[in-house]
Amino acid sequence: MNAHFTTDLSPTSNSTISAPVTLIDHPLVQHKLSLMRSKDASTSTFRTLLNELSMLMAYEVTRDMTMQTVEIETPLETMQAKVIDGKKLVFVSILRAGNGILEGMLSVVPSARVGHVGLYRDAATLEAVEYYFKMPQDMQERDIIVVDPMLATGNSAIAAIDRLKKLNPKSIKFVCLLTCPEGISALQAAHPDVPIFTAAIDRQLNDHGYILPGLGDAGDRIFGTR
Ligand code: URA
């Protein structure tokens, strides 16, 4: 059973009720995440584990997808069978680390569409600056799952969701591997309607915007750039 939090985790929170934060506490998820956190995990191990974890998280985040009933023929008789309803889901990757989550999610939902938002963190202000934005068509008819391994300051997630909301999608969810109270508070304050799915809520942010104890720079660890 996953843990659900429906209120802001910040000590300074007001009483606004936000969409839930779901902590995906399945033992397989927790075990793989611990292996990924170790500084000794190689790039290839890190990537493999992220791929596996992303499949498991996709399973959780798509749990409430709308279904419809259609008639099919089994080899023995006709039956009313459930299939996923509506336009294809969109996974939106916040570049570049979000791409590390895409492969696993797409192996579980292969027909999903994919959008990309390119944002970089200004080193001085930690604010998100957009440099790329490409989405599928008919976004107003689609459900969006935004993926980024780390919800740290929340600036990238907030900027990406600000932009996505202008396309009037049916719904938006946010999935990360790791977050912290500061990241959750910031995202909930900006977008209280967006549910958050995470495999861990760590202790805090440091002065450089990194999550502690965390796993370091997710992009560098996925792509072996350090
Ligand atoms: N981005 C990362 O890759 N790691 C952190 O700890 C915070 C933001």
Side-chain angles (χ1 to χ4, degrees), residues 159-171:
I161 294 169
D162 282 344
R163 188 77 161 74
L164 289 166
K165 279 188 172 173
K166 297 197 171 117
L167 303 176
N168 288 317
K170 277 169 63 189
S171 71

Side-chain angles (χ1 to χ4, degrees), residues 80-92:
Q80 302 297 313
K82 287 185 178 171
V83 292
I84 293 165
D85 193 19
K87 279 259 187 199
K88 305 280 187 253
L89 192 64
V90 186
F91 293 127
V92 172

Side-chain angles (χ1 to χ4, degrees), residues 97 121 148-153 178 205 208-220:
R121 279 210 294 186
D148 192 353
M150 312 298 274
L151 176 59
T153 60
L178 272 188
L205 277 188
H208 303 284
Y210 280 86
I211 295 173
L212 299 176
L215 50 70
D217 187 300
D220 282 340

